[in-house]
Amino acid sequence: MRHVHLAVLLGFAAFTTALPSHFTRRNDDGSPKDTKVLILGGGVAGVIAARTLHEKGIDNFLIVEARDQLGGRMQNYTIGVPGKQYTVELGPNWIQGTQTGNGPANPILTLARKHDVKNQYNDLDGSITTYDYNGFKDYRGLLDKSIDQFTQTGVVAGERVKTQQVDLSLQSAYGMIGATPKNLYESACQYYEVDWSPVQTSWIASAWNNNFTFDTDMGGFSDENNLCIDQRGFKTIIQAEAVEFLQPHQVSLNSVVSSIEYGEDGATVTLANGTTLISDYVLCTFSVGVLQYGDVAFKPDLPEWKVEAIQSMVMATYTKIFLQFEDKFWFDTEMAIYADKERGRYPIWQNLDHVNFFPGSGLVFVTVTGDFSLRIEGMEDSDVQAEVMEVLRAMYPNTTVPDPVAFHFKRWHADPLFRGSKLWFAGEATSLKYFGFLHGAYYEGLHAGEEIAKCIADGGCAGMQHEDRVVDAESYPFVSITP
């Protein structure tokens, strides 16, 4: 008896050419199946899983992608007035942790090198100007202190792992080490280290992914970050990779999944247009935000412990707001931090009109996260622009700051394909070493592809042990919590 395996991966996504959507063939046992493996989502995890299957001699798979191109969250936008237009990244923008000497290279960097995707070192910690609502104010020393505090949270997390202490949020970690911000400047610097981080749900995962990505003593790549400035878009790394092995019949674009029915004899995936696809194995690269929102129905329902795992995760929303001006009037550094009385109010600025990026472009962008991202998604563009300009003019009280000639941001949380910027759970969100990073999706897609290939080679696999519920590692001292 063949068991279906649903591997749900949180992925980003990649490939541009529109391809035919449906084909049917006979499976090994003679039953009509559309394909051996359905890969739901064409992100980094999905495409790398497909590549892994191909390398194992398994080409009986179909990538089902909701958008009109592969790439997922790796999306770009052309901004600017005629004659002064530039491609900017709305989603992932950085290769986080590159390579030290001849040491291990971040696989995203390897793909960028292979496909000549232009990227440039971004000095996130050393090239910074700081402001508050009265203009320029130098509190860079507090930023250095905040960096040290972030390092300390990792050290303490390591001690908690050794003693099997319960995990907490990264924000809680600062309180545990006595580093709760005392003023708006400390708060802004902590925001730069915490809220801008991909990991806020788990203190321990934050320590792991920071160490295994940036600390070479722990096997990390390097402590440097490179910004993608390729005018083809960052998605080129995965689209160009896909072109090397994918055939037209192996990709179905503009195909939105509405339900997944799974059982011992296989799985049936139903698309929004009513099309059904049948396979032995299903690998899903849905955003955790999509899973939390219930956009895809599972039949039978996912077990309670899996629902608990999904709902316990935070799908952080990062919103970049791009502005173009006729002339540059702002900071000459690469980055800037703005401290406001309201935490998270347009705090992190990046200068794209910089010699290392797009000199003469007149481009600058500001990033907001979390609840503030959700807030601006519910506003009109003109109102968001007015708020951003209010902050920018506060940063430069002695400068006549003009209105921008171009303005753009993407509403990630409102997009039903993302719901925010796995039944084998895998993907960047479950990567112990690289939680939240693009290379986490890469490695988890690689691993999932290898595991599915093993199952196919062995004629099936027993699957993973399922539990009815998540239980605490130790018994609680009090059984009753009510009178």
Side-chain angles (χ1 to χ4, degrees):
M1 182 175 293
R2 180 177 287 113
H3 292 263
V4 66
H5 298 273
L6 246 59
V8 188
L9 287 96
L10 288 167
F12 297 96
F15 199 62
T16 48
T17 309
L19 301 173
S21 65
H22 192 83
F23 67 101
T24 302
R25 64 180 62 180
R26 290 276 166 181
N27 216 359
D28 296 339
D29 60 2
S31 61
K33 295 285 177 70
D34 293 290
T35 188
K36 193 78 172 179
V37 184
L38 284 171
I39 300 173
L40 308 183
V44 170
V47 171
I48 296 304
R51 188 191 70 181
T52 303
L53 291 174
H54 171 74
E55 291 172 346
K56 299 289 185 180
I58 300 168
D59 287 309
N60 190 356
F61 61 79
L62 176 67
I63 295 178
V64 180
E65 168 57 42
R67 299 179 64 237
D68 61 359
Q69 59 178 299
L70 300 177
R73 196 177 294 274
M74 299 179 78
Q75 297 180 26
N76 53 263
Y77 178 79
T78 300
I79 189 171
V81 295
K84 200 176 182 180
Q85 295 181 321
Y86 295 84
T87 297
V88 295
E89 299 296 331
L90 303 177
N93 214 149
W94 290 268
I95 302 171
Q96 296 173 290
T98 53
Q99 185 178 23
T100 301
N102 294 321
N106 186 317
I108 304 302
L109 178 64
T110 300
L111 288 175
R113 288 170 172 168
K114 178 180 178 180
H115 300 295
D116 297 318
V117 174
K118 188 176 182 180
N119 56 94
Q120 172 65 40
Y121 170 64
N122 189 179
D123 191 356
L124 296 174
D125 292 326
S127 182
I128 298 182
T129 308
T130 53
Y131 299 84
D132 68 7
Y133 51 86
N134 290 317
F136 171 76
K137 185 176 180 63
D138 189 358
Y139 48 90
R140 288 174 296 172
L142 292 178
L143 180 60
D144 294 335
K145 179 182 177 181
S146 184
I147 293 172
D148 291 340
Q149 290 171 341
F150 182 81
T151 301
Q152 187 182 353
T153 66
V155 173
V156 177
E159 295 302 317
R160 293 178 71 85
V161 169
K162 291 178 183 178
T163 55
Q164 295 294 301
Q165 290 179 267
V166 69
D167 193 12
L168 298 170
S169 70
L170 181 55
Q171 191 69 257
S172 300
Y174 278 81
M176 294 288 290
I177 66 171
T180 301
K182 302 298 191 298
N183 54 56
L184 60 92
Y185 306 110
E186 291 184 357
S187 180
C189 291
Q190 189 192 87
Y191 185 103
Y192 193 73
E193 295 300 316
V194 178
D195 297 65
W196 207 31
S197 162
V199 182
Q200 300 170 37
T201 308
S202 168
W203 177 4
I204 291 173
S206 171
W208 280 335
N209 82 4
N210 184 75
N211 291 342
F212 292 128
T213 294
F214 300 114
D215 190 342
T216 55
D217 292 335
M218 296 290 292
F221 309 115
S222 79
D223 61 358
E224 295 185 349
N225 298 277
N226 284 11
L227 184 77
C228 176
I229 54 175
D230 197 292
Q231 290 302 284
R232 295 170 296 171
F234 200 9
K235 64 190 178 186
T236 301
I237 64 168
I238 206 71
Q239 292 181 350
E241 189 70 8
V243 166
E244 292 192 349
F245 70 92
L246 283 181
Q247 299 300 314
H249 67 269
Q250 293 175 312
V251 181
S252 176
L253 300 176
N254 299 305
S255 301
V256 179
V257 174
S258 60
S259 69
I260 303 171
E261 185 173 355
Y262 59 99
E264 293 183 347
D265 296 324
T268 299
V269 172
T270 302
L271 305 183
N273 64 5
T275 299
T276 58
L277 301 169
I278 303 173
S279 67
D280 289 322
Y281 300 86
V282 177
L283 176 66
C284 307
T285 63
F286 298 143
S287 155
V288 72
V290 170
L291 295 175
Q292 290 173 337
Y293 204 80
D295 290 305
V296 177
F298 288 87
K299 302 174 185 178
D301 292 339
L302 294 176
E304 288 186 9
W305 69 272
K306 291 185 179 179
V307 174
E308 182 176 335
I310 292 168
Q311 296 299 333
S312 67
M313 301 177 73
V314 175
M315 184 60 180
T317 304
Y318 296 79
T319 305
K320 300 180 200 170
I321 305 168
F322 294 89
L323 304 96
Q324 184 183 56
F325 296 87
E326 289 185 355
D327 298 297
K328 175 180 174 292
F329 58 84
W330 52 88
F331 49 94
D332 292 323
T333 54
E334 296 181 21
M335 310 296 297
I337 299 177
Y338 168 72
D340 192 86
K341 295 177 181 178
E342 179 184 358
R343 180 187 173 98
R345 185 170 184 262
Y346 308 107
I348 302 174
W349 293 76
Q350 180 146 4
N351 174 20
L352 292 180
D353 192 341
H354 188 278
V355 64
N356 291 335
F357 307 131
F358 305 134
S361 65
L363 288 171
V364 64
F365 72 90
V366 59
T367 301
V368 295
T369 67
D371 290 342
F372 209 91
S373 286
L374 303 185
R375 172 183 172 274
I376 68 169
E377 285 199 17
M379 298 168 56
E380 297 292 335
D381 282 16
S382 58
D383 294 331
V384 176
Q385 178 177 317
E387 287 193 350
V388 171
M389 293 307 301
E390 180 182 355
V391 168
L392 199 51
R393 287 170 176 138
M395 292 166 64
Y396 293 93
N398 300 318
T399 300
T400 300
V401 178
D403 286 333
V405 295
F407 177 88
H408 183 77
F409 70 95
K410 179 174 175 61
R411 289 171 167 82
W412 285 107
H413 192 266
D415 190 328
L417 302 182
F418 300 98
R419 299 293 184 194
S421 317
K422 263 174 170 329
L423 298 294
W424 248 326
F425 271 81
E428 58 85 12
T430 57
S431 173
L432 290 178
K433 296 179 71 173
Y434 309 115
F435 182 102
F437 287 118
L438 202 57
H439 48 277
Y442 178 100
Y443 283 124
E444 292 299 304
L446 183 69
H447 174 71
E450 290 175 342
E451 290 301 306
I452 292 173
K454 288 179 184 178
C455 289
I456 293 173
D458 294 341
C461 44
M464 301 177 68
Q465 179 178 346
H466 290 251
E467 304 291 343
D468 291 333
R469 62 183 62 86
V470 179
V471 297
D472 204 40
E474 299 287 341
S475 299
Y476 288 105
F478 304 104
V479 176
S480 178
I481 60 173
T482 57

